[in-house]
Amino acid sequence: MDQGVEIDDSLYSRQRYVLGDSAMKKMANSSILIYGIGGLGIEIAKNIVLAGVKSITIQDGKPAAIQDLGTQFFLREEDVGRNRAEASGPRLSELNPYVSLNALTSILDVNTDLTYLKNFQCVILTEAPLSVQIRVNNFCRQQTPQIRFISADVFGVCCGTFCDFGDRFEITDIDGEEPKEVLIEKISKDNPGIVTCFKIKMHGFESGDHVTFREINGMTKLNGYTCQIKVTSPYTFEICDTSGQDFAPYEHGGIVKQVKVSKMASFKSLEQELMKPSLLVPDLCKFEAPNNLHLGFLALHQFYEKFNRFPNVWNVEDANNIISIANVLNTQLVTKVTDIDEEVLRILSYTSLGCLAPLCAALGGFVAQEGIKAVTGKFTPLQQWLYLDCREVVPKDDAGAPATFTPRNDRYDAQRICLGQRKCDKLAHLKLFMVGCGAIGCEMLKNYALLGIGKKQQGCITITDNDLIEKSNLNRQFLFRPADIQKPKSTTAAEAVLYINADLNIEAQQHKVCPQTEDKVYNDAFFENQNLVVNALDNIEARRYVDSRCVTNQRALLESGTLGTKGHVQVIVPHMTESYSSQNDPRDESVPYCTLKSFPANIEHCIQWARDKFESSFTGKPDLFNKFWRQNGEVTDVIQKLKDGQSVDGAVQVSKMVANRSATWCQCVQLARLKFQKYFNHKAKHLLHMFPLDTKMQDGSLFWQSPKRPPVPQEFDIQNPLHFLFIVSTARLYAGVFSIPVTSVDTSFETIKSVLQNMKVPEYRPTNKKIVTDESASKPLEETGSGDDLLDAANRLQLTLSEADVTQVLSPMNPVEFEKDDDTNGHIDFIAAASNLRGAMYKIDSIDRLKAKRIAGRIVPAIATTTATVSGLVTVELIKVMDNLPIEVYKNAFLNLALPIIVLSEPGPVEKTVIKEGLTVTMWDRWEIRGTADFTLQQFLQHFKDKYGFEVTMVSHGVKMVFVPFMPGHKKRLPQQMLKLLKPSPSQSYMDLIINLEGSEDEDIACPPVRYYFGV
């Protein structure tokens, strides 16, 4: 994929929405070198290959060791002894056919001739001595243009990276966000002028942003003008001097839009930054950690230079030596560490020969994104250091027994050094349930395999996903290959991950986790058998449901997600933290019906209108047609009922569909032409008929002013590519609905022109059809029709049947399900053409097909780098959750790799409700009552009176009210047995009930769920 080759949208579609085509094409002309193909190096390489650079060279002089298998997922047991780059290359190259991959097997040291580095735009070093890093960095800075340089390492439970992109690095887009656009309410004539936006939406700008204006009436000099702003409130900002005579008074209308401006960044060399580092602080609870880790990494490298080795595993003498070196180094730093944390340095020394796979994933995703920035200029690079640690995973109880951390010459040595044997055994015995096997799911499974989670005869990993693999998945879901397309995700992922670690015990399923599978598949017993649940989902509804099941069964849940370069991690621990559902996600803003129908203000409204037309014309109406004839039988009976004045649901609409049904391709084309006239010409003329341009509101203001835009009737021109595309795509969709075959000749320009050239298109006839202008009004329901409507419907049916073949006219239609990822079906062509035509009608800027596809298809932008980083952070928390640690040890995360920021914070504590003094409950609590076969409702109620001192005011099960005192007949239930009232199935041993208690002032007190055991 180079500058002259079209981007493969079927593969890169989700990533294109993150990076944009310009950055994608820059990548396609870039070459990157990655040195050190251990656990971190292979993570970086995997993510960059998936992204789609022109070529990537992996270099490593080391032979694979058995210990590498615990972090390097592209090495196998049979590769032990082979060069790591050579062994990994073939598997890495399978990830992307557009990327050229080369492997070098030489060691990079202080004597290496660096001339070959001139072939690369970016050089990334891992596992390189500091002296080599400095030499390579200096060489990269001496080149013209300068080569971008990144170094990164994982030492045990600590990791860090450094970036130097040269003296002048152009950032073309600092954040990747869509330019903000808002409607203007007024502009003052002042120095500076004040712009006020409509209160329906905050402008979202920041001081220093550049904006431009259009469609302003009155102060027209601002149209097309770009200036820098100063924000004064969420709805106002200052612009240039508008007090002069050149600026006429503002009248109405206008749109202000953010302008993306490139930015220059300057970097210092590694040598300069070593003594005075610019550090990103990811965890404010460990504010001094980056400084201490920087000092510790310098001490490690100096130890290596001195002894030609890193500190021995859990060796106290070596750790003391590291601390001594660090103290001396600190005196030499320009930015000194004010409070040296010896515990950090000691853990770093003890574990430096180890390597934790999840840290490789987290840092590997981050560094790969920096590599992409280096060759594209897209997003803001790291300035200039990032350090992360997860020393909380080191079991302090085992620190007194160093033997538990001693390597055993197996694949788990690298993590054993960090976690100890006891914790490795715990991971092996883990029973884990993961919901979803998409992008995050694949990354998680890789992490589980490297850690040895759920090994055979010990633990189990259960995964489920009901989706099949699509080509667009291959860009992020790295366990899948082209040959896997249309195979189940769960079973394919399970098979693929066994190549990483054959010891895993994985059960792959294809069920949805939802209320329909709650009784027989994912019941309480299933959840209670799990130690931990992990969400790898992409929709809020499913997340909330899994969260509710974990709360009910008191199981820890690890929740995560990504959106482009943004990601989040949430740790949910029973009785300690809030749950996923404790916080509400912001609701999507609903657009008033009248706005979509008649008064669109932006292209998003036009796209939603086009989607609605698609659903109505090609899905909803054909469905209605088929259902109508299944339910109502013979057409003659329907005609007679209508003539007799009997209302038949859907008859009026179906009669019109019968009358307009096409039997040939030519008729489909003519129907499409009529739709063009109706949607884009007659609709505009009717609006202007009902509301002429000079129409005024009751307060004297113009009707047609912002945000309402007056329409312009579109005159059909077959030479206009947009008009032609609408005709062809609409006709193709109708042909599919009516089972009419279509050939390439049928859709040619000559054929379409010949069909339409003599067609008579009806003129617009003014009517008084009402136009909804009330923004609070909902879409009106379809009316069944009055007497005249019914008679018209009967006549339409009778006339059509007398003129056409009854079998053909009434044969079932083929409803079309919207499919965004098949570029051959014409669905996105219709959406793009229809929305842009509607935009033209309202003078709204057009968009390209790619953006129309993203908005209409509700495509979530995604990139492998974010997924890898999030999965690594989640898996670190997984290791912590096993040990029941205090809340301050766990870390929720929010990250945005575009900026870049990583924010780690303590999870929100669970909210406690005081029912009375001495009785506090949380959402995690569950009260239990163990009944017997003869246990009555009265005894059930008395239990709460005796134990808690409250009267029960309600007992319910689901939607069923079991007992409400004031409801008729309910008090007669008191002596009845609970078995009789609840009617459990033979297999049920308990039911979860909801009760309310009566408070001191007659208010109801909500209580935890009550699990009632029947005792039979």
Side-chain angles (χ1 to χ4, degrees), residues 601-898:
N602 54 47
I603 197 65
E604 286 79 9
H605 295 159
C606 299
I607 292 172
Q608 184 57 55
W609 173 86
R611 266 301 305 263
D612 292 346
K613 285 297 176 193
F614 184 101
E615 297 294 337
S616 169
S617 302
F618 311 121
T619 308
K621 287 180 179 177
D623 269 334
L624 171 67
F625 181 91
N626 295 342
K627 183 180 177 182
F628 180 87
W629 293 117
R630 282 199 305 271
Q631 292 179 342
N632 292 291
E634 289 294 325
V635 64
T636 51
D637 295 339
V638 173
I639 292 171
Q640 191 58 53
K641 286 179 182 177
L642 294 172
K643 286 184 174 181
D644 293 342
Q646 291 184 42
S647 177
V648 182
D649 281 348
V652 174
Q653 208 170 357
V654 168
S655 70
K656 293 177 181 177
M657 293 165 67
V658 169
N660 293 328
R661 181 165 185 167
S662 302
T664 66
W665 168 247
C666 290
Q667 290 175 341
C668 291
V669 173
Q670 290 171 339
L671 179 57
R673 175 65 182 88
L674 293 174
K675 293 298 180 185
F676 179 100
Q677 202 70 8
K678 176 183 176 181
Y679 296 156
F680 311 118
N681 184 281
H682 290 183
K683 173 67 177 179
K685 289 178 178 177
H686 184 61
L687 277 164
L688 295 173
H689 167 69
M690 297 297 287
F691 303 106
L693 291 175
D694 57 358
T695 302
K696 292 189 176 180
M697 310 284 281
Q698 288 183 345
D699 63 1
S701 62
L702 284 170
F703 177 86
W704 292 110
Q705 66 171 317
S706 185
K708 288 189 177 74
R709 310 166 74 95
V712 177
Q714 301 297 291
E715 299 299 334
F716 181 74
D717 177 6
I718 197 170
Q719 300 292 339
N720 186 316
L722 190 59
H723 297 196
F724 180 77
L725 180 62
F726 176 82
I727 297 297
V728 171
S729 59
T730 306
R732 280 186 62 199
L733 285 163
Y734 275 124
V737 169
F738 301 144
S739 301
I740 297 168
V742 183
T743 67
S744 57
V745 174
D746 292 332
T747 59
S748 66
F749 179 84
E750 291 74 17
T751 302
I752 303 297
K753 183 179 180 181
S754 66
V755 171
L756 297 181
Q757 63 184 358
N758 296 319
M759 179 184 172
K760 291 185 178 180
V761 179
E763 293 289 324
Y764 167 70
R765 292 182 180 179
T767 68
N768 290 320
K769 184 179 179 182
K770 185 180 177 182
I771 293 173
V772 178
T773 58
D774 181 2
E775 291 190 359
S776 63
S778 301
K779 182 178 180 179
L781 298 173
E782 289 287 341
E783 297 181 2
T784 54
S786 61
D788 289 344
D789 294 328
L790 300 179
L791 188 59
D792 288 345
N795 291 335
R796 263 194 300 272
L797 286 172
Q798 200 156 27
L799 179 64
T800 305
L801 296 178
S802 65
E803 295 177 350
D805 178 4
V806 176
T807 306
Q808 188 273 325
V809 169
L810 299 184
S811 63
M813 293 186 181
N814 302 314
V816 177
E817 293 298 326
F818 181 70
E819 173 47 60
K820 61 186 179 294
D821 286 322
D822 181 358
D823 285 338
T824 65
N825 61 19
H827 297 189
I828 296 299
D829 290 339
F830 171 83
I831 298 293
S835 55
N836 277 326
L837 278 166
R838 188 165 175 83
M841 186 169 111
Y842 287 95
K843 293 184 179 177
I844 295 171
D845 290 347
S846 64
I847 57 167
D848 60 24
R849 187 180 186 280
L850 192 66
K851 185 171 181 179
K853 177 178 177 178
R854 176 177 66 79
I855 298 172
R858 300 180 179 92
I859 293 174
V860 178
I863 191 167
T865 50
T866 315
T867 307
T869 302
V870 165
S871 77
L873 294 174
V874 172
T875 311
V876 167
E877 298 309 307
L878 181 154
I879 298 170
K880 296 179 190 176
V881 167
M882 292 192 309
D883 278 356
N884 301 314
L885 300 169
I887 191 170
E888 61 269 17
V889 170
Y890 300 113
K891 298 296 175 185
N892 285 354
F894 169 77
L895 57 95
N896 187 341
L897 298 186

Side-chain angles (χ1 to χ4, degrees), residues 37 85 100 162 230 308 357 541 607 609 832 872 984 987:
I37 308 303
S100 171
F162 168 80
K230 180 181 178 182
N308 198 32
E541 183 183 356
I607 292 172
W609 173 86
S987 61

Side-chain angles (χ1 to χ4, degrees), residues 465-484:
D465 195 314
N466 67 325
D467 275 354
L468 302 180
I469 297 164
E470 305 287 346
K471 186 178 179 182
S472 62
N473 300 149
L474 305 183
N475 176 238
R476 302 171 320 287
Q477 300 170 23
F478 86 105
L479 294 179
F480 306 142
R481 300 291 179 269
D484 299 323

Side-chain angles (χ1 to χ4, degrees), residues 498-543:
L498 288 175
Y499 286 106
I500 299 174
N501 187 347
D503 290 341
L504 297 193
N505 179 22
I506 301 185
E507 183 177 341
Q509 301 174 353
Q510 295 174 55
H511 308 295
K512 287 185 75 172
V513 183
C514 60
Q516 289 72 33
T517 57
E518 189 172 312
D519 289 337
K520 293 184 178 179
V521 186
Y522 303 119
N523 52 26
D524 290 345
F526 173 85
F527 274 91
E528 288 169 357
N529 193 44
Q530 309 303 318
N531 301 121
L532 181 67
V533 180
V534 178
N535 267 350
L537 293 161
D538 60 1
N539 71 87
I540 291 173
E541 183 183 356
R543 286 180 169 130

